[in-house]
């Protein structure tokens, strides 16, 4: 099974052997039992992998941290004396986004489930058989594939391979399906979406077979139509078929719409756009959601699925920081939805989410007014291609759903809630602080409430606060553990302080609406938000020219959020003020939201090394302005967050943050300039971060351009974003 | 030659009986597959390592069993690891006892745990003897033989 394709750096490509993937795949094996370790070592070598072993989890982490790029896969025992295997799993997932396979002598359902929910790509039972190990490479490929790379599809039944992957795979597949399905706003759509999900999954899993339909690029216009159709139908009734009919677009298939719909799931949006770094979920460039610890693993899991772009590193960790359900107030006056329903630590209970008028948040997402997130992921932002990613998100969402927390119909966050238990993120205040500190030109920055958890929720629930995480950018940057209590404040067009008015996130007027339930107006935002928010933040991230982001960006890449749709979104946002804070992307009020969105896209793009964000950015440039503003501020955050990806490594993050600071600075520069220069920003969808930065800088000069709503950018190749 | 063949046959027989009597399972075969010219004594090395390492585990379990009241979680955890390594080398009977032990732990049946543990130790010791004899013979017979496996 030599997959010739050089998986984008999957194997580093430095060595010739890498070309013969999976031969030479670099595996890190961790097991405190010497017998098992020796056997595992030999088994892996037998499979022609390049093996490194250690019997200490701590050492393993150290190695991974130091040589992040030197490992493709980690296999770890569950029971280890120095560290719980699940913990290691989480940390690795958060920090490095390398696939981790769990090993255990016990295969209890609960344990396996725990492994899966903590992000393991597979769960093997001891004794391990060589047949199982022969297939583990698929996890690496799968992960890479999620990135918008044109890799050969290792359709060799990756999914189907199960020897080993039964548990994980099944779970993941199932999850994906669930996510996709569940993500759908309406359960009724579930069935309908199933097929799509399958496609999504297929796409996500890179099954070549699933690549049957040509990818639809959700341009701004297309997305706008989509959003309009959804709005018209109402979230509840927005089934792909009807949407398709309403859209009346030639050549568009139901599947396209369906996948877009899924993607558009608020959460998806959120997820798609965002990438997470550690516990921070960067939704868009300005939105950073700090995920609670508990949530994080799950979220990560989801995120990974959803958006590869975010890269292995920065899974968007929705930093739903607080466990305080109160955070779920996205729709609150702050523009956050009111997720009172949030239960549990930072969890967004599905119910709470569902409290949001389905049409509202989620629905809104798709609709312009909808939560930015929605738009982000699906609407336009995410290209169908991204559906994988989106699907990923969808998956995520779906998964969330399955977790019981997510209501399909609920807004974006619906899905999130349950899983979003951002328990981990402790330093929510940091996030908040981070946000505040950012002196975004346009306070698009979302209000970063202390509890990020809400942000996510809020984002979803609330209006366009595309995840108030916007500020998250800042937030994240600031602290690993910043709990994104970022409140997605309404994205006021006016440069409100980072707080509530934060850019675009939540357009107060709109956002609230949108968040809450999506009033129509939110639709504007939401759509925009949907698109952008995520993208934007990412852009911000991207901006930091420093390489720091590159890592994250790579993530972002995965989350090729269909920024392209931003244009659609932006359009929506247009109605509102453009001034909406740049904060990323959260969909600034109408205009601003758009901007935000765009900025998001940008940010997002930035985040993604793919830079697709730029594409995104381009979409709705006009939003950019505000978004940009926030973005720039966000960017720093993002940058930081990127570095802070590893939430677990606070120290690291600190270091990273400092490094980010430099980025931040640069991004800040951008930020100030950005506000207007979204256009530029988005121009280059896939520019490398540096280019993005440049773009951002340029953008500054293009103040006005953004507002006109014509993104001026080429549709953001969402695919790249995600 | 004949002597060698004789040895080989004996080794094969011994090996087969280990399987037939349920002392080892297909996992052992996996280990054998990993053995080759570059790794000629792999199986024996692993088994040796297993016995060395598991000895301390057994001591730990014994100590835990001596405590009162019994900490079933700890026992379970210890046994978990023991089971892992035992199953990795294909120690079938030992593994079965480990599984049983775990059941008793879950049921918090201290008596059952102790009984099972004693049984497990017996199997463990028996297997050790059998494998040692097997390896010894295999070494005598020649490396190629040791690497052969039954069909």
């Amino acid at each position: 099974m030599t997959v010739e394709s050089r998986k984008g750096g999957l194997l580093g490509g430095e060595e010739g052997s890498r070309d013969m993937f999976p031969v030479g795949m670099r595996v890190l094996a961790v097991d405190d039992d010497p017998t098992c370790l020796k056997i595992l070592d030999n088994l892996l070598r037998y499979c022609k992998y390049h093996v490194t072993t250690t019997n200490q989890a701590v050492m393993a982490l150290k190695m991974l941290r130091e040589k992040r790029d030197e490992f493709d896969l980690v296999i770890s025992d569950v029971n280890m004396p120095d560290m719980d295997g699940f913990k290691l799993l989480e940390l690795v997932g958060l920090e490095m986004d390398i696939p981790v396979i769990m090993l255990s002598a016990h295969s209890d359902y609960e344990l396996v489930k725990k492994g899966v929910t903590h992000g393991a790509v597979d769960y093997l039972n001891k004794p391990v058989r060589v047949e199982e190990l022969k297939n583990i490479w698929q996890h690496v490929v799968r992960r890479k594939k999620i990135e918008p790379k044109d890799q050969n599809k290792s359709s060799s039944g990756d999914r189907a391979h199960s020897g080993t992957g039964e548990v994980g795979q099944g779970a993941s597949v199932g999850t994906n399906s669930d996510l996709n399905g569940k993500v759908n706003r309406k359960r009724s759509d579930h069935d309908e979406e199933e097929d799509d999900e399958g496609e999504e999954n297929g796409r996500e899993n890179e099954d070549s077979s699933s690549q049957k339909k040509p990818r639809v690029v959700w341009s701004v216009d297309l997305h706008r139509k989509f959003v309009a159709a959804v709005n018209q139908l109402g979230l509840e009734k927005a089934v792909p078929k009807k949407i398709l009919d309403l859209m009346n677009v030639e050549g568009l298939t139901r599947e396209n719409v369906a996948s877009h719909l899924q993607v558009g799931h608020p959460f998806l949006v959120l997820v798609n756009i965002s990438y997470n770094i550690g516990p921070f979920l960067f939704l868009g460039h300005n939105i950073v959601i700090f995920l609670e610890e508990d949530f994080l693993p799950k979220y990560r899991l989801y995120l990974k699925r959803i958006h590869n772009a975010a890269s292995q590193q920065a899974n968007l960790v929705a930093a739903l920081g607080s466990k305080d359900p109160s955070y779920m107030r996205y729709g609150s006056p702050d523009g956050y939805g009111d997720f009172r329903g949030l239960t549990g630590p930072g969890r967004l209970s599905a119910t709470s989410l569902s409290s949001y008028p389905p049409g509202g948040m989620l629905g809104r997402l798709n609709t312009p007014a909808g939560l930015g997130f929605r738009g982000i992921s699906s609407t336009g932002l995410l290209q169908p291609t991204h559906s994988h990613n989106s699907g990923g998100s969808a998956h995520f969402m779906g998964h969330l759903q399955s977790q019981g927390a997510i209501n399909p119909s609920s807004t974006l966050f619906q899905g999130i809630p349950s899983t979003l238990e951002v328990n981990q993120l402790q330093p929510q205040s940091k996030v908040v602080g981070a946000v505040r500190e950012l002196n975004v030109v346009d306070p698009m920055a979302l209000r970063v409430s202390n509890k990020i958890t809400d942000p996510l929720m809020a984002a979803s629930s609330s209006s366009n606060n595309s995840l108030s995480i916007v500020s998250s950018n800042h937030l994240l940057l600031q602290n690993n553990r910043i709990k994104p209590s970022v409140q997605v404040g309404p994205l006021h067009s006016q440069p409100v302080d980072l707080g509530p008015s934060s850019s675009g996130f939540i357009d107060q007027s709109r956002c609230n609406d949108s968040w809450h339930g999506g009033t129509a107006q939110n639709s504007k935002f939401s759509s925009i938000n949907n698109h952008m928010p995520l993208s934007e933040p990412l852009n911000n991230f991207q901006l930091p020219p420093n390489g720091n982001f590159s890592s994250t960006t790579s993530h972002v890449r995965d989350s090729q959020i269909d920024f392209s749709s931003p244009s659609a979104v932006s359009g929506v946002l247009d109605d509102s003020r453009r001034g909406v804070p740049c904060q990323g992307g959260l969909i600034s009020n109408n205009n601003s939201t758009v901007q935000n969105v765009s900025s998001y896209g940008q940010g997002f793009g930035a985040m993604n090394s793919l830079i697709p964000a730029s594409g995104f950015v381009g979409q709705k440039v006009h939003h950019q302005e505000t978004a940009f503003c926030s973005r720039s501020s966000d960017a720093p955050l993002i940058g930081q967050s990127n570095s802070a990806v590893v939430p677990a490594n606070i120290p690291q993050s600190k270091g990273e943050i400092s490094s980010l600071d430099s980025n931040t600075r640069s991004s800040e520069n951008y930020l100030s300039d950005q506000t207007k220069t979204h256009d530029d920003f988005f121009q280059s969808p896939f520019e490398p971060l540096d280019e993005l930065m440049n773009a951002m800088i340029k953008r500054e000069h293009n103040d006005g351009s953004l507002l006109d709503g014509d993104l001026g950018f080429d549709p953001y190749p969402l695919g790249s974003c995600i | 030659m004949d002597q060698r063949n004789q040895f080989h046959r004996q080794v094969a027989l011994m090996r087969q009986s280990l399987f037939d009597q349920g002392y080892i399972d297909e996992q052992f075969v996996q280990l054998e597959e990993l053995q080759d010219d570059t790794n000629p004594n792999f199986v024996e090395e692993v088994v040796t390592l297993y016995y060395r390492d598991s000895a301390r585990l057994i001591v730990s379990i014994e100590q835990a069993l001596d405590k009162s009241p019994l900490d079933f979680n700890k026992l379970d955890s210890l046994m978990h690891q023991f089971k892992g390594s035992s199953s990795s080398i294909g120690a079938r009977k030992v593994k079965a006892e480990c599984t049983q032990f775990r059941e008793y732990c879950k049921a918090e049946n201290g008596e059952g745990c102790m009984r099972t543990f004693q049984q497990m130790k017996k199997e463990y010791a028996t297997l050790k003897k059998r494998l040692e004899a097997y390896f010894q013979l295999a070494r005598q017979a020649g490396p190629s033989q040791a690497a052969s496996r039954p069909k």
Side-chain angles (χ1 to χ4, degrees), chain A residues 237-256:
Chain A
K237 293 207 172 16
V239 296
K241 182 75 177 73
K242 292 193 184 146
I243 296 174
L244 184 67
D245 291 343
L246 273 178
M247 284 176 70
N248 195 23
V249 169
E250 191 111 355
L252 195 66
T253 68
R254 192 195 73 83
E255 287 71 27
N256 297 141

Side-chain angles (χ1 to χ4, degrees), chain A residues 521-580:
Chain A
Q521 57 181 108
N522 289 331
S523 55
K524 294 273 178 72
F525 289 103
S526 41
S527 61
I528 301 182
N529 288 334
N530 295 339
H531 300 291
M532 309 290 273
L534 292 180
S535 52
E536 304 222 310
L538 290 179
N539 287 331
N540 289 338
F541 286 102
Q542 298 254 350
L543 296 186
N546 302 337
N548 298 343
F549 292 95
S550 38
S551 57
T552 47
T553 55
S554 52
H555 292 303
V556 174
R557 238 186 317 190
D558 292 329
S559 50
Q560 293 277 345
I561 303 188
D562 275 340
F563 285 92
S564 48
S565 58
S567 52
V569 172
S570 48
V572 173
L573 290 174
D574 274 327
D575 17 280
S576 51
R577 322 47 96 70
R578 286 210 332 160
V580 182

